[in-house]
């Protein structure tokens, strides 16, 4: 079966970063689903994750946003968090994921679904049995999840996150202050975060830190930094 490599990282000199990107079977479920993505895919060079949008809010009368996430084996996944104002509906497309949902470990394989309600703590990572692990997530009503993911991935591409994919203190304070009604991480405790953000977010703003960076939302940023598809499939 033919293989195709997606989202290889483009170096500043225009060369392709060796070993970056994920190889997919061209006839597999993830590759088939990616045919529905009409905008550039975006990636995290630290974790190897790849994401894209399948349906924007303006296409669903503002009812929901639908996205796709592809995780390679070994990806760490996001820190535990919750969303105060929206529901996430996950459907596993390929591979297997381990979700921590309300402190319960749940193993989900292709075809399984999980609904995470507002204010329910959760996180996830691939189970590492497969090289390709993919899910589709529907966010009802649409929040700022796409913008947040693009910002964190953009910071990763520009070397502004640590080796674990985490932002520095002032960047974290800018995120905590502006996104408190959208995405809240469980550590440190939310009340502690709120107090810290009220003190340090103004300092972060004065130093140029933002919660969402417009340049990372722009499609041109990803076209310059991510090779969307190899020109010729790689054969087995």
């Amino acid at each position: 079966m033919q293989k195709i490599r997606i989202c290889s990282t483009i170096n500043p000199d225009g060369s392709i970063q060796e070993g970056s990107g994920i190889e997919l079977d061209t006839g597999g479920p993830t590759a088939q689903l990616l045919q529905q993505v009409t905008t550039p895919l975006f990636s995290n060079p630290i974790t190897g994750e790849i994401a894209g949008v399948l349906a924007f809010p303006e296409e669903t009368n503002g009812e929901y946003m639908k996205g796709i996430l592809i995780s390679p084996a070994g990806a760490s996944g996001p820190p535990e968090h919750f969303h105060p104002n929206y529901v996430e509906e996950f459907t596993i497309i390929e591979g297997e994921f381990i979700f921590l949902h309300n402190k319960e470990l749940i193993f989900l394989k292709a075809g399984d679904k999980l609904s995470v309600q507002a204010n329910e703590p959760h996180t996830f990572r691939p189970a590492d049995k497969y090289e390709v692990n993919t899910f589709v997530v529907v966010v009802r009503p649409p929040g700022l999840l796409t913008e947040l993911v693009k910002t964190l991935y953009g910071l990763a591409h520009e070397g502004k996150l640590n080796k674990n994919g985490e932002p520095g203190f002032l960047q974290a304070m800018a995120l905590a202050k502006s996104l408190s009604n959208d995405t809240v991480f469980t550590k440190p405790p939310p009340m502690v975060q709120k107090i810290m953000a009220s003190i340090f977010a103004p300092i972060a703003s004065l130093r140029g830190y933002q919660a969402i960076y417009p340049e990372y939302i722009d499609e041109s940023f990803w076209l310059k930094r991510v090779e969307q598809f190899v020109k010729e499939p790689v054969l087995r």
Side-chain angles (χ1 to χ4, degrees):
M1 181 179 292
Q2 288 185 326
K3 307 273 290 186
I4 191 168
R5 180 170 290 274
I6 64 169
C7 281
S8 296
T9 299
I10 300 174
N11 295 318
D13 64 1
S15 64
I16 300 300
Q17 185 180 105
E18 185 176 355
S20 62
I22 296 179
E23 283 191 352
L24 303 175
D25 290 334
T26 56
T30 298
Q32 294 299 310
L33 188 60
L34 286 175
Q35 302 303 314
Q36 301 177 32
V37 178
T38 57
T39 59
L41 297 171
F42 39 102
S43 70
N44 186 328
I46 297 174
T47 64
E49 294 172 325
I50 296 167
V53 178
L54 294 167
F56 287 95
E58 51 267 33
E59 300 175 272
T60 65
N61 294 319
E63 293 183 10
Y64 63 88
M65 182 279 296
K66 182 188 289 187
I68 180 173
L69 178 78
I70 308 168
S71 291
S76 57
E80 186 181 46
H81 61 281
F82 60 87
H83 306 289
N85 295 307
Y86 55 82
V87 174
E88 288 182 297
E89 301 166 350
F90 297 91
T91 301
I92 311 305
I93 303 301
E94 188 171 354
E96 185 176 356
F97 284 87
I98 303 172
F99 275 76
L100 179 63
H101 177 219
N102 283 332
K103 305 304 180 182
E104 179 185 0
L105 280 177
I106 304 173
F107 288 77
L108 299 177
K109 60 184 184 302
D112 290 341
K113 298 183 179 183
L114 176 67
S115 180
V116 177
Q117 302 301 306
N119 293 308
E120 291 184 344
H122 62 284
T123 185
F124 55 82
R125 65 174 178 83
D128 295 342
K129 293 181 180 179
Y130 306 94
E131 289 301 315
V132 177
N133 305 274
T134 305
F135 65 62
V136 165
V137 60
V138 174
V139 180
R140 300 178 186 273
L144 294 174
L145 189 59
T146 300
E147 290 83 354
L148 173 59
V149 172
K150 281 189 172 183
T151 289
L152 290 173
Y153 284 13
L155 291 170
H157 270 274
E158 297 201 322
K160 297 179 180 179
L161 302 183
N162 65 23
K163 63 180 182 180
N164 296 318
E166 300 168 342
F169 179 75
L170 287 179
Q171 180 63 71
M173 290 298 97
L175 290 165
K177 179 68 174 179
S178 297
L179 299 177
S180 61
N181 291 322
D182 186 272
T183 301
V184 180
F185 295 101
T186 58
K187 293 181 180 180
M191 184 54 67
V192 174
Q193 291 183 54
K194 186 175 183 179
I195 294 172
M196 293 174 65
S198 67
I199 297 171
F200 293 103
I203 298 174
S205 179
L206 287 173
R207 295 192 178 182
Y209 291 95
Q210 302 176 52
I212 303 297
Y213 294 84
E215 58 265 37
Y216 300 150
I217 309 304
D218 195 288
E219 292 184 2
S220 63
F221 179 90
W222 300 104
L223 291 174
K224 292 176 182 176
R225 288 164 177 80
V226 175
E227 185 188 49
Q228 299 290 310
F229 298 95
V230 297
K231 295 181 180 179
E232 296 181 3
V234 178
L235 301 179
R236 284 186 184 273

